[in-house]
Amino acid sequence: MAAVTMRLPAARAPLDSSALRGGEKHLVAPGDTITTDTGYMRGHGTYVEDDKLIASVAGVVERVNKLVCVRALKARYNGEIGDIVVGRITEVQQKRWKVETNSRLDSVLLLSSINLPGGELRRKSAEDELAMRDYLQEGDLISAEVQSIFSDGAVSLHTRSLKYGKLAQGVLVQVSPSLVKRQKTHFHDLPCGASVILGNNGFIWIYPTPEQKDDEAGGYTANLEPVPLSDREVISRLRNCIMALVAHKIMLFDTSILYCYEASLPHQIKDILKPEVTEEIVLEARQRLLDSEG
Amino acid sequence: MPVPAGRAGHQLWIAGSFPAAAGGWKAGGQAGRQGGSGALRRCGREAAGMASVVLSEAEKLYIVHGVQEDLRVDGRGCEDYRCAEVETDVVSNTSGSARVKLGETDILVGIKAEMGTPKLEKPDEGYLEFFVDCSSNSPELEGRGGEELGTDIANTLYRVFSCENSVDLKSLCINPKEHCWVLYVDVLLLECGGNIFDAISIAVKAALFNTRIPKVRVLEDEEGTKEIELSDDPYDCIRLNIDEVPCIVTLSKIGYRHVVDATLQEEACSLASLLISVTSKGAITSMKKVGKGSLDPESIFEMMETGQRVGKSLHIALQKILDEEENLGTSRPKVGFLG
């Protein structure tokens, strides 16, 4: 039966800020004066005009000794060595692939930085170069790690481990990179029945947990069998929960996603995105997070 | 018959005959970009420069299998719409305006009523003019790029509203053959998140509901010159009757089933879509097929039935929200663009 719901827009009320810890954050908008004291060094996101330090981006002011900088709330991904990213291949070039990772420049995946199917370890030859499109095509999703950063800021990726490689069936959610919490591991097998990769660049990949860890595949064979309905429900619910958390700017990590998932169980999957249900679930998840932190 | 100004490409005709709906045309195929090898790779409707998203083969397969089981990526069924937000009277210097947010898609419609001369073939009626602007989306749609898509949408709207009783055009006449009201409908595509035709038609209907045309009187003096007098009271105006205004329902064929209100990802997996404009009573006023895939006549009948059913629910929901907004009157908290 068709379900069409319409509503009048409501101004978004912020969640009660009584739980704000860590003191007041100094939020600025572009053009706001940060300080008139000339003794500070200007960092990223600031500029000096008429002896005043003015912010050029909208964000939080951070001060380290004499350095004042503004960390933008919504910015493109700035690569750091060791980060896990999920990216989409945009171009296949001569000895490398261009990968889109929501950063200022397209990231680069060199042919020498990938693992061949079957886990072979050898120098890539000219035949490999011609067969590049057999490995990764335009539109494919990969999980990779940042190997190095070029001088212009472009990020160089590598998939030299069996846990990285081409991603198969699943759902991609794109969020702001500042919402993904830095953790020891970004590959999580959630107890609810699905797995999630939290890319540092804001790309989150939700996929059904594979039954057995097959090492010999090397990450290139895609399992194209239909995913069972129960797994699909879990994945859709997780996706909606992540969208709910993003709408209220809660940091994303495995515990917060799990608490939000458990709070959403009484509701139907498609109802999670309704504003009132979103608020309810996120409040409950936030409360549990605060309680667990003590 | 306005032909969509697309790139020179294939014209796909639906095999077999089927009863053409009143005012409809058989098929409007549009060229799509040929991708690499692989059947799924050829999926992807690229109607005249619409911003589309690239997906991997496995992602498309996941979406197609999900639709088969009636569970889409965001948990909706095949006939469910995303939650829509409708607000009217957002632009102050128009005669009527509305803003519709359908998931990611954001549409703003403004209607200005101006006096003009009636068309020669219809001297006792006013008329509507549609302009669509899509330049605020992606860089590829700025300037000339968005023109194709804009003309495409505008032509579709002309077709949808070409049905005689959708808007009571006779009420827009002031002086037969000399003066009439012309409603300039400006559609602004603020954000494209899939299913723009449906959102635009909802916004146009809401804006027409909100339109207030000032009442004018024609005074004739002894020499026969006519003068038009505007009434002094700014609240003295005529409202349009929108009971017969149709809404567009887009049905996208994914795999063997069809879905309503496709997101950008689902549109990338769909080979062909059917745009049906339905009135609140379930009557189909026009139909258009887009996409480079073909549609079986059986599935067209199924899609028409679904379109009628979904269209009726859409009208009921929209009327309910418009009445609710009307009843709140001046006490309604205006959200606008900074809410």
Side-chain angles (χ1 to χ4, degrees), chain A:
Chain A
M1 217 33 250
V4 187
T5 48
M6 293 205 190
R7 56 180 63 235
L8 291 171
R12 244 188 333 185
L15 288 180
D16 67 294
S17 45
S18 56
L20 255 180
R21 301 159 295 118
E24 285 297 310
K25 288 188 193 161
H26 187 190
L27 293 170
V28 287
D32 281 354
T33 312
I34 304 172
T35 176
T36 44
D37 192 347
T38 49
Y40 288 107
M41 282 201 297
R42 49 192 161 82
H44 287 304
T46 64
Y47 64 98
V48 177
E49 197 179 294
D50 296 337
D51 285 339
K52 286 188 294 188
L53 201 61
I54 304 179
S56 62
V57 291
V60 178
V61 175
E62 284 179 346
R63 207 185 70 112
V64 178
N65 295 337
K66 285 276 183 192
L67 180 69
V68 174
C69 60
V70 182
R71 186 168 53 92
L73 288 171
K74 181 185 160 187
R76 292 237 171 208
Y77 169 61
N78 274 326
E80 292 187 29
I81 299 181
D83 278 356
I84 314 281
V85 294
V86 171
R88 199 183 283 282
I89 308 285
T90 51
E91 280 176 51
V92 180
Q93 293 183 343
Q94 280 212 307
K95 274 206 187 73
R96 58 204 200 159
W97 289 272
K98 285 285 186 172
V99 183
E100 197 238 313
T101 53
N102 195 22
S103 35
R104 291 190 189 93
L105 292 166
D106 270 344
S107 307
V108 165
L109 177 64
L110 297 170
L111 177 59
S112 48
S113 310
I114 63 160
N115 261 357
L116 289 166
E120 290 176 75
L121 291 172
R122 57 177 171 79
R123 253 181 103 155
K124 313 294 189 298
S125 61
E127 282 95 34
D128 289 314
E129 202 181 319
L130 294 170
M132 273 175 79
R133 214 175 233 109
D134 294 338
Y135 305 140
L136 292 170
Q137 279 185 307
E138 286 94 338
D140 281 343
L141 276 173
I142 54 159
S143 66
E145 193 181 318
V146 174
Q147 185 176 43
S148 61
I149 307 181
F150 292 116
S151 49
D152 55 2
V155 151
S156 177
L157 305 171
H158 77 89
T159 57
R160 280 203 162 281
S161 169
L162 288 169
K163 58 181 181 176
Y164 304 128
K166 189 154 88 166
L167 299 172
Q169 294 195 56
V171 174
L172 183 73
V173 183
Q174 294 179 341
V175 308
S176 167
S178 51
L179 287 174
V180 179
K181 190 166 171 176
R182 270 180 199 282
Q183 288 186 284
K184 277 224 291 248
T185 168
H186 288 258
F187 292 78
H188 302 284
D189 281 339
L190 298 174
C192 44
S195 302
V196 79
I197 303 180
L198 296 163
N200 284 96
N201 59 334
F203 284 17
I204 299 178
W205 179 249
I206 314 170
Y207 60 108
T209 313
E211 267 91 50
Q212 80 283 27
K213 304 282 173 189
D214 37 1
D215 305 73
E216 73 285 345
Y220 284 101
T221 52
N223 182 13
L224 294 176
E225 282 167 19
V227 175
L229 191 62
S230 49
D231 285 346
R232 276 183 193 279
E233 286 179 357
V234 174
I235 292 176
S236 296
R237 195 176 278 277
L238 276 173
R239 182 229 176 238
N240 284 355
C241 287
I242 291 178
M243 302 296 285
L245 288 170
V246 165
H248 288 275
K249 304 279 187 280
I250 308 280
M251 292 293 279
L252 293 171
F253 53 107
D254 54 346
T255 322
S256 67
I257 297 176
L258 200 59
Y259 285 167
C260 194
Y261 177 86
E262 285 166 7
S264 77
L265 284 172
H267 303 274
Q268 274 205 325
I269 304 176
K270 57 186 172 182
D271 291 337
I272 298 177
L273 293 173
K274 289 190 185 157
E276 61 270 6
V277 178
T278 307
E279 205 175 310
E280 189 194 314
I281 307 176
V282 170
L283 268 170
E284 196 184 314
R286 212 168 75 134
Q287 196 53 48
R288 274 182 78 180
L289 281 169
L290 289 171
D291 292 340
S292 65
E293 279 167 39

Side-chain angles (χ1 to χ4, degrees), chain B residues 82-334:
Chain B
R82 287 170 284 186
C83 193
E85 272 184 18
V86 178
E87 195 184 359
T88 61
D89 208 23
V90 279
V91 185
S92 47
N93 58 341
T94 52
S95 314
S97 60
R99 182 174 176 211
V100 168
K101 268 205 279 219
L102 189 65
E104 297 279 303
T105 307
D106 204 343
I107 310 281
L108 177 66
V109 169
I111 298 185
K112 282 186 118 97
E114 290 186 12
M115 279 213 268
T117 30
K119 293 192 172 144
L120 284 170
E121 61 268 14
K122 303 235 172 95
D124 55 348
E125 284 181 2
Y127 56 97
L128 278 83
E129 292 272 2
F130 293 97
F131 297 100
V132 180
D133 184 297
C134 344
S135 44
S136 35
N137 272 32
S138 48
E140 66 201 30
L141 289 181
E142 256 173 29
R144 301 304 303 278
E147 252 183 63
E148 266 184 48
L149 179 61
T151 355
D152 186 23
I153 301 176
N155 285 339
T156 313
L157 286 172
Y158 276 120
R159 201 68 199 171
V160 165
F161 281 85
S162 67
C163 184
E164 271 125 33
N165 13 358
S166 29
V167 175
D168 186 12
L169 296 170
K170 293 209 173 12
S171 64
L172 296 176
C173 179
I174 306 169
N175 249 341
K177 288 200 201 126
E178 283 177 44
H179 297 107
C180 72
W181 285 113
V182 182
L183 294 179
Y184 290 101
V185 181
D186 292 307
V187 178
L188 225 74
L189 196 65
L190 296 172
E191 199 177 335
C192 177
N195 201 24
I196 46 178
F197 284 96
D198 293 26
I200 290 176
S201 68
I202 297 173
V204 168
K205 184 166 180 179
L208 285 169
F209 180 78
N210 181 241
T211 307
R212 279 154 173 76
I213 303 175
K215 274 207 187 117
V216 289
R217 282 186 309 150
V218 183
L219 302 168
E220 196 170 329
D221 51 4
E222 312 83 43
E223 292 145 33
T225 49
K226 296 188 178 138
E227 253 186 37
I228 296 182
E229 191 188 298
L230 200 65
S231 81
D232 289 327
D233 183 3
Y235 293 106
D236 189 19
C237 45
I238 51 173
R239 304 277 298 271
L240 295 168
N241 181 5
I242 56 151
D243 289 336
E244 296 291 322
V245 171
C247 269
I248 301 179
V249 176
T250 308
L251 298 131
S252 311
K253 179 144 184 265
I254 299 178
Y256 294 111
R257 295 188 64 160
H258 48 271
V259 298
V260 160
D261 193 18
T263 58
L264 278 177
Q265 286 82 9
E266 287 167 347
E267 281 180 358
C269 304
S270 147
L271 283 161
S273 306
L274 202 63
L275 265 74
I276 301 179
S277 63
V278 192
T279 61
S280 50
K281 297 191 181 60
I284 297 182
T285 60
S286 77
M287 255 191 352
K288 178 182 177 184
K289 179 208 162 285
V290 292
K292 53 191 176 188
S294 56
L295 285 176
D296 198 70
E298 286 294 319
S299 40
I300 295 179
F301 283 128
E302 277 174 25
M303 286 159 118
M304 277 165 64
E305 275 175 38
T306 313
Q308 284 178 303
R309 204 178 30 220
V310 172
K312 278 199 256 193
S313 322
L314 190 65
H315 279 284
I316 294 173
L318 181 61
Q319 194 59 53
K320 195 171 114 183
I321 207 76
L322 288 174
D323 292 335
E324 194 185 311
E325 213 185 15
E326 181 91 5
N327 291 340
L328 283 175
T330 44
S331 61
R332 167 168 72 97
K334 294 218 172 188

